[in-house]
Amino acid sequence: MNNVARKICFVTGSRADFGLLVWPMRAIRETPGLTLQLVATGMHFAPEFGYTFNAIREEGFEVDERVESLLSSDSGAGVAKSVGLGVIGFADAFTRLQPDLVVVLGDRFEMFAAAQAAMFMRLPMAHLFGGDVTEGAIDESTRHAISKMAHLHFTSNQGSTQRLIQLGEHPSRIHTIGSVGIDAIKHLDLMDREGIGRALGMPLGERNALITFHPVTVEAGRSVAELDELFAALSTLDPAFRFVFTLANADAEGRALNARIEAFAADRPNTIAVASLGQLRYLSLMSQVDVVIGNSSSGVLEAPSFGVPTVDIGDRQKGRERAASVFHAAPERNAIAGAIAEALQRGRQATVNPYGDGASSRRFAEIVAGIPDFRQLLTKGFYEIPASGARP
């Protein structure tokens, strides 16, 4: 091997995936023989979603390429067109950067666009969080599609690893490292209650809830009705509760949800809505609240590490492995209120998180550094699961 550092190019398109990528990127940056590249796209450049591009710099990262792709649209057609613009933009960005390995995370349409460009350009690609299941979102399909385009896989749990094998991915290319999101919980110096209150502009109360509700993308028209059911359930809670909403993402119907959330918060002095809290404020708040509510993956993946109970609403996260602290509720006001009551009765207690121990990023960097030639990954066959009783 030569002494030229190999370029590992990460793609980030939203506050959510960036928060998960911070520690893997730091691990890559600190690993001899590897150099970090970063391409930002999607919601990072949209003021209505918090212009989270600034958060990237605040975490100490420089963006090598910007891919402007997000249309100001709340429809499926708008998302589809954003994917098309993204493919064009990523083709140009990758041509300039010439990465040795492209790293994409999860399932959002921005990642789908990046994966398509990388695949057609014959760039080796690693995928984080492949094999997960979220039956209530279009993300289910885009995630599996990205997995088939990728050449190397890093999964959050053994069930996801098994599903990738069922998709025909070779076991030797799949590494079960846990959720990189838990690494931040283990490493960050979290804010205390008073600090969080100052950062939010509203002190925490006797009871507090962190709420995130994203569009239900598998079936058009459901999202607003389900959000209204959540509002109805929240209205039955003790007035001493403080509610902190983080706004929905840029999926179809996301803007409609955000308009309703902001209207709900405007009428209630115990409620605020924030476009983006950033990783430190978000996890600090999660560590202090009495319950996490909504349909975000963070309630399933990260909240159990704090022992805080989660009320997961509807089908968006359906199929994910869950800790004992995660309570499911149908998207109906009585069911939601009942699940919140159960969660509060359980309270905060030590919980086994099935998604890892906080050392995932180190494992990721070690595995990447140990691959002698990424180009050899480009030739990829379909792995046939041996018949029952046959030797592999």
Side-chain angles (χ1 to χ4, degrees):
M1 293 179 61
N2 58 42
N3 293 322
V4 177
R6 295 183 292 171
K7 295 174 286 187
I8 312 301
C9 181
F10 286 74
V11 176
T12 176
S14 71
R15 71 190 187 209
D17 67 57
F18 177 71
L20 295 171
L21 289 172
V22 164
W23 292 97
M25 289 194 295
R26 286 179 175 162
I28 289 294
R29 190 166 60 183
E30 295 165 2
T31 300
L34 303 178
T35 187
L36 175 69
Q37 294 179 328
L38 182 58
V39 180
T41 187
M43 290 189 287
H44 283 305
F45 305 111
E48 63 189 300
F49 296 106
Y51 195 72
T52 48
F53 176 72
N54 290 330
I56 298 174
R57 289 177 169 169
E58 288 169 3
E59 288 288 348
F61 296 100
E62 290 298 324
V63 173
D64 296 284
E65 290 283 341
R66 297 169 55 136
V67 175
E68 298 273 8
S69 64
L70 186 62
L71 296 181
S72 182
S73 170
D74 213 23
S75 69
V79 173
K81 291 177 182 178
S82 292
V83 171
L85 290 172
V87 173
I88 296 170
F90 282 112
D92 290 338
F94 292 153
T95 296
R96 288 188 287 269
L97 293 176
Q98 292 294 303
D100 294 293
L101 182 72
V102 174
V103 181
V104 293
L105 180 147
D107 44 41
R108 287 191 49 76
F109 61 85
E110 302 96 339
M111 297 296 167
F112 188 51
Q116 289 181 72
M119 177 187 67
F120 286 119
M121 294 176 72
R122 300 290 291 161
L123 295 173
M125 181 170 21
H127 185 205
L128 289 157
F129 286 91
D132 286 2
V133 177
T134 52
E135 297 177 14
I138 289 174
D139 301 352
E140 172 85 354
S141 298
T142 55
R143 184 187 311 107
H144 295 329
I146 293 170
S147 290
K148 292 308 298 180
M149 291 186 271
H151 309 97
L152 192 61
H153 307 279
F154 297 90
T155 66
S156 63
N157 63 89
Q158 192 59 45
S160 294
T161 294
Q162 185 58 40
R163 280 185 286 273
L164 286 178
I165 294 172
Q166 288 178 258
L167 285 172
E169 299 302 292
H170 198 283
S172 66
R173 297 190 178 205
I174 308 170
H175 304 275
T176 308
I177 62 170
S179 171
V180 292
I182 298 174
D183 293 26
I185 296 172
K186 302 295 184 181
H187 292 96
L188 281 176
D189 184 13
L190 300 178
M191 303 164 68
D192 61 18
R193 289 174 66 89
E194 290 71 24
I196 297 167
R198 288 193 297 271
L200 293 174
M202 180 182 76
L204 297 185
E206 183 181 334
R207 285 288 182 95
N208 305 278
L210 171 59
I211 308 169
T212 307
F213 194 88
H214 293 304
V216 184
T217 52
V218 121
E219 182 180 336
R222 282 176 48 186
S223 301
V224 169
E226 293 188 6
L227 178 62
D228 286 344
E229 292 296 303
L230 170 58
F231 288 155
L234 295 178
S235 297
T236 67
L237 294 180
D238 189 320
F241 250 102
R242 302 282 173 89
F243 303 129
V244 180
F245 279 86
T246 58
L247 295 183
N249 60 30
D251 288 333
E253 301 182 29
R255 291 170 177 83
L257 294 186
N258 288 341
R260 296 181 86 84
I261 291 169
E262 288 172 335
F264 181 85
D267 289 340
R268 291 162 177 81
N270 66 334
T271 303
I272 61 171
V274 182
S276 175
L277 286 170
Q279 185 183 49
L280 176 60
R281 289 193 299 168
Y282 185 80
L283 291 178
S284 297
L285 181 59
M286 181 180 281
S287 74
Q288 296 290 340
V289 297
D290 297 278
V291 61
V292 174
I293 303 172
N295 60 9
S296 170
S297 62
S298 61
V300 178
L301 298 178
E302 281 89 59
S305 290
F306 292 113
V308 62
T310 295
V311 173
D312 178 56
I313 300 169
D315 294 337
R316 186 178 174 91
Q317 303 301 328
K318 184 179 179 181
R320 285 196 191 273
E321 189 173 353
R322 295 161 185 266
S325 58
V326 180
F327 296 80
H328 181 262
E332 184 274 323
R333 63 190 67 188
N334 292 328
I336 296 169
I340 293 173
E342 283 188 75
L344 293 174
Q345 183 176 16
R346 181 186 192 275
R348 183 185 299 273
Q349 56 183 273
T351 304
V352 176
N353 192 332
Y355 290 99
D357 57 4
S360 302
S361 298
R362 175 182 53 77
R363 296 186 190 107
F364 169 78
E366 288 174 352
I367 292 166
V368 168
I371 297 172
D373 183 2
F374 297 130
R375 303 294 300 180
Q376 290 184 352
L377 298 172
L378 290 172
T379 301
K380 174 179 163 181
F382 189 96
Y383 178 75
E384 299 281 357
I385 298 176
S388 179
R391 298 182 64 182

